[in-house]
Amino acid sequence: MSLKTLKSFLRVYFPLIGFACLWYLYDSRYQRNIWFMAVGAALLVAGVLFLLVLRLPEGRSLKSIRGFSRTFFLPFFLVLTLALLVSFFTLRFGPFNYGSGRFLFTLALAGLAALLLAASGDSRSPFANFALFLLVSGVTYRVLGFLPEVSAGPFSLGWSEGSRFYNASAFLSRALYGQNLPLPVLHPTRYLLQAVPFALGIRSILAHRIWQVLLWLGLTAWGAYLLARRFRATLPIAFGWLMAFFFLYFFQGAVYYHLMVCVILVLLGYHKDKPWRTLLFVLLASLWAGISRVNWIPVPALLAVSLHLMDRPFPTRKWLSYFLSPALWTLLGVAVAFGARQAYIAISGEPPALFDSAFSSALLLNRLFPNSTFFLGILPAILLAMLPLGLLCLLKLRSGTLSRVHWLRWLGLAGILAVFLGGGILVSLKIGGGGDLHNLDAFLVFWALITGSLVAGHVAPDHTPDQPAQAAALKVQPAVPVWQPAWLLLLVVVPVFFAFTHTGTWSFAPASAQDADLSQLRSTLVELKDEPGDILFISERQLLVFDELGNIPVVPEYEKVFLMEMAMGDNQPYLQQFYALLASHQFKAIVSDPLSTALQDRGHSFAEENNAWVQKVVLPILADYEPILSLRGGEVNVLVPKGK
């Protein structure tokens, strides 16, 4: 390795370490302990070393260190990386409690591995090895983060987990509960996917949790595979690297797995020379999108339109025929999606007005920029997610691609991106959103497809009078230096950074550890069996789904996630009906999660959501009901009418 190569690597490596140190100092700014001081010192050291590196000469080569074998060394560091990642979830000390601290340690180890491999005489660039270790670390960290969700414990693992299982069970309610329940209003196709184990007769919460993890990992990996397959022929990057990059890229949102079904169907079915085959898959995907989310209705058709605009040159004559297939896909796709939505509403058993509650909810403009709910803010976060592919696109356009493609094609692609970017930001600013980029999931898909195609040379140039159409239809060979050090690291570091914004720890207590709480809850509800009225499970409905409490009838209304949706949208008819039932003591008991009545200011995460829940749900409940049992540190509460 030459000193020039070493200097080039260290000039990038030390600023990355400095950035990670600054992130950690920001994260832990309210805990000025020894780790805060140590990372502050590391920041100063990284700055000094960076200045010293600038003074290094470049004309000599460094001797390789004897005794190092890449065959042994690479697996050793991969195992060491795995051990470090596992320790993030199992050890509770200082920096490991923050995503920024975990990111800092991962950068340090990856850089050390890259330097030692280069010093051992490895022919690969230290940039390439550094990027390899970061990619492996990011993917592994994201996968390991799902392990706590594989649990046999009967109580909910998160705020909305029990609601998801209940909504999935609604599709087979007759078989499970002996009664027909209304179908879910929010994200129906997500719960349709989660209902597969119920359809197979599986009623184990452990099996359902494993299935949900497989949906996240499997469908995301499938979408990443299809995008990587599209680009691999013209990019000088290993297929595994491409797939790992898109896997992490999709989790920047994250892109929900039921949206990934639409993406997979269109990518599988699209063929630039077979418009009718493409139409068939667009219609299938549109059926799915229509019963998913209203803002996904145009996604399948516009995915196919984007591929058409990139793959087919613009004709010099009869240009209206160029837009015939895209127009047909769009009109029929949107019509089918809208029809599927209306049909689902008709059979759902819920009033149609409940499906449009999000349109009346408040906008929180402060979440556009860094705030207590999302430390990056929606706008900086989406710009950061766009940065790697965006900069590569600018390089590509400077190479002359812009002038070789008709302006109407560029206008169509830019318009599609603008629609989903604007719509995603708007939805993210609604109360209940803005904690991450998941409401920009459709935009992230289009950005990856369009910019990735441009970088990989999959935008066919238009022919000119002296250039035959057959030659113009050939793929443009990429002129973007995606394998050069700076671009390689930029592509890798950003999605890895987003992966480490998620933290968590492993807690694998046996399910039997929850037996005492479950037994106490069961015995309390048994004591109420002769009282008039039903038991309303606002939370912990999975206990009914998986038959943990015996034969308790299900009250379909006022489930926690949907009740929160109505509270945030201030749906007064729905809420007033709820209040009337509370006042008349129609429920002999209510099972709810924490009953805090504290209102929060914007210095707290999701303060507006908390206040809506407190003011429109908790306080009205406590006006007519009082708690008689509290379990799991106040996470599960049983309330009965006051005076009883």
Side-chain angles (χ1 to χ4, degrees):
M1 177 177 63
S2 68
L3 274 174
K4 181 178 180 180
T5 302
L6 175 64
K7 181 177 179 179
S8 177
F9 175 72
L10 294 178
R11 285 172 62 184
V12 174
Y13 178 63
F14 286 128
L16 281 176
I17 293 292
F19 164 77
C21 290
L22 286 172
W23 181 21
Y24 178 82
L25 295 177
Y26 173 80
D27 261 358
S28 61
R29 61 193 181 279
Y30 300 119
Q31 295 186 1
R32 305 293 179 89
N33 53 23
I34 188 173
W35 293 110
F36 184 91
M37 303 303 175
V39 173
L43 174 62
L44 293 177
V45 171
V48 170
L49 291 175
F50 175 75
L51 294 175
L52 292 176
V53 165
L54 296 179
R55 301 175 63 88
L56 283 176
E58 298 182 355
R60 293 183 299 165
S61 295
L62 297 175
K63 293 183 179 180
S64 299
I65 300 176
R66 296 181 180 180
F68 280 102
S69 169
R70 184 179 185 275
T71 304
F72 165 79
F73 196 73
L74 184 58
F76 169 77
F77 259 97
L78 289 174
V79 171
L80 190 60
T81 298
L82 177 61
L84 177 67
L85 296 175
V86 169
S87 70
F88 291 156
F89 295 97
T90 54
L91 300 181
R92 291 163 176 78
F93 89 100
F96 287 8
N97 295 325
Y98 301 92
S100 52
R102 299 176 181 190
F103 184 61
L104 173 59
F105 274 81
T106 302
L107 281 178
L109 180 60
L112 177 63
L115 287 171
L116 289 179
L117 277 172
S120 69
D122 183 51
S123 59
R124 194 196 299 262
S125 161
F127 287 96
N129 284 324
F130 186 48
L132 171 64
F133 279 102
L134 284 183
L135 262 184
V136 170
S137 299
V139 171
T140 306
Y141 181 81
R142 207 65 186 86
V143 173
L144 292 177
F146 280 100
L147 283 183
E149 297 185 23
V150 181
S151 167
F155 289 100
S156 179
L157 297 178
W159 190 83
S160 61
E161 189 202 35
S163 302
R164 293 196 294 269
F165 291 135
Y166 167 73
N167 285 325
S169 73
F171 288 100
L172 293 107
S173 58
R174 172 58 64 179
L176 295 174
Y177 309 114
Q179 62 183 111
N180 292 321
L181 300 180
L183 299 179
V185 171
L186 306 172
H187 300 280
T189 52
R190 176 179 186 174
Y191 305 127
L192 190 58
L193 287 172
Q194 287 189 235
V196 170
F198 288 125
L200 298 176
I202 300 172
R203 208 168 176 179
S204 158
I205 194 169
L206 175 61
H208 281 261
R209 284 170 172 158
I210 292 172
W211 174 243
Q212 183 172 220
V213 170
L214 291 176
L215 286 173
W216 271 115
L217 298 179
L219 290 176
T220 303
W222 194 357
Y225 166 80
L226 292 174
L227 271 187
R229 187 181 68 174
R230 175 175 170 83
F231 303 140
R232 65 180 172 183
T234 51
L235 282 178
I237 299 178
F239 181 76
W241 286 58
L242 278 175
M243 186 172 169
F245 165 76
F246 284 117
F247 180 84
L248 284 179
Y249 172 90
F250 287 138
F251 272 115
Q252 289 176 124
V255 176
Y256 277 130
Y257 53 76
H258 50 310
L259 174 60
M260 199 61 71
V261 171
C262 297
V263 178
I264 290 169
L265 283 172
V266 174
L267 290 178
L268 284 175
Y270 169 80
H271 194 291
K272 69 184 184 68
D273 296 321
K274 297 179 180 179
W276 295 110
R277 166 183 158 160
T278 302
L279 175 62
L280 173 62
F281 280 84
V282 165
L283 295 181
L284 290 174
S286 295
L287 281 171
W288 186 265
I291 58 175
S292 298
R293 298 182 69 182
V294 65
N295 49 317
W296 291 355
I297 282 178
V299 167
L302 293 184
L303 277 173
V305 171
S306 299
L307 290 165
H308 176 87
L309 291 173
M310 291 183 291
D311 288 355
R312 295 188 66 84
F314 196 78
T316 55
R317 299 177 181 178
K318 299 181 179 180
W319 61 270
L320 284 176
S321 64
Y322 182 81
F323 295 107
L324 181 60
S325 291
L328 184 65
W329 300 335
T330 303
L331 290 174
L332 292 181
V334 169
V336 165
F338 184 77
R341 171 179 165 80
Q342 296 306 116
Y344 179 81
I345 291 173
I347 67 172
S348 68
E350 295 281 15
L354 297 182
F355 285 80
D356 297 321
S357 60
F359 291 106
S360 62
S361 58
L363 283 174
L364 306 176
L365 296 179
N366 67 303
R367 294 191 180 173
L368 195 61
F369 301 102
N371 59 86
S372 57
T373 299
F374 187 19
F375 78 101
L376 286 173
I378 294 299
L379 187 58
I382 191 59
L383 290 176
L384 180 61
M386 294 166 60
L387 182 65
L389 288 172
L391 288 178
L392 288 172
C393 276
L394 289 178
L395 286 180
K396 182 71 174 181
L397 293 175
R398 288 179 60 187
S399 69
T401 301
L402 183 64
S403 61
R404 294 199 295 269
V405 176
H406 197 279
W407 67 270
L408 280 175
R409 295 169 67 192
W410 288 129
L411 181 63
L413 294 172
I416 290 170
L417 290 173
V419 165
F420 285 104
L421 177 61
I425 290 176
L426 180 64
V427 176
S428 296
L429 296 181
K430 289 279 188 177
I431 184 172
D436 53 29
L437 295 178
H438 80 268
N439 284 314
L440 281 143
D441 46 10
F443 171 76
L444 288 170
V445 169
F446 280 95
W447 183 255
L449 177 64
I450 293 173
T451 59
S453 295
L454 182 60
V455 170
H458 278 264
V459 178
D462 295 306
H463 61 270
T464 59
D466 58 343
Q467 181 184 24
Q470 294 82 357
L474 296 175
K475 303 296 183 189
V476 182
Q477 292 303 310
V480 179
V482 292
W483 194 250
Q484 289 186 9
W487 301 115
L488 181 65
L489 280 182
L490 184 63
L491 280 169
V492 171
V493 167
V494 171
V496 172
F497 162 78
F498 273 100
F500 279 92
T501 59
H502 298 269
T503 56
T505 55
W506 291 345
S507 179
F508 297 117
S512 58
Q514 299 180 9
D515 284 350
D517 285 333
L518 184 62
S519 177
Q520 193 172 0
L521 176 61
R522 187 184 293 121
S523 62
T524 300
L525 298 181
V526 167
E527 290 181 17
L528 299 169
K529 66 179 181 179
D530 295 328
E531 296 292 325
D534 292 319
I535 300 174
L536 172 64
F537 280 76
I538 292 178
S539 62
E540 300 296 336
R541 288 202 178 188
Q542 80 286 346
L543 297 176
L544 303 179
V545 173
F546 298 107
D547 199 21
E548 296 285 357
L549 299 174
N551 188 25
I552 296 179
V554 178
V555 179
E557 296 81 13
Y558 314 118
E559 181 276 321
K560 179 170 65 174
V561 170
F562 194 67
L563 185 56
M564 171 62 98
E565 186 76 12
M566 296 298 101
M568 293 188 300
D570 194 27
N571 189 317
Q572 283 301 312
Y574 186 92
L575 294 173
Q576 290 302 324
Q577 184 182 33
F578 179 50
Y579 301 156
L581 293 175
L582 294 176
S584 61
H585 292 174
Q586 289 296 306
F587 306 115
K588 63 183 177 184
I590 296 175
V591 178
S592 179
D593 54 4
L595 298 169
S596 171
T597 58
L599 298 178
Q600 299 175 350
D601 58 29
R602 285 188 170 180
H604 292 80
S605 179
F606 290 107
E608 291 84 356
E609 289 82 355
N610 171 79
N611 296 344
W613 182 256
V614 168
Q615 292 173 324
K616 298 173 183 176
V617 178
V618 175
L619 292 177
I621 289 176
L622 292 179
D624 296 295
Y625 284 73
E626 58 185 346
I628 60 167
L629 178 67
S630 182
L631 302 171
R632 300 180 58 76
E635 292 295 319
V636 181
N637 300 275
V638 179
L639 301 95
V640 297
K642 284 187 174 181
K644 294 189 178 182

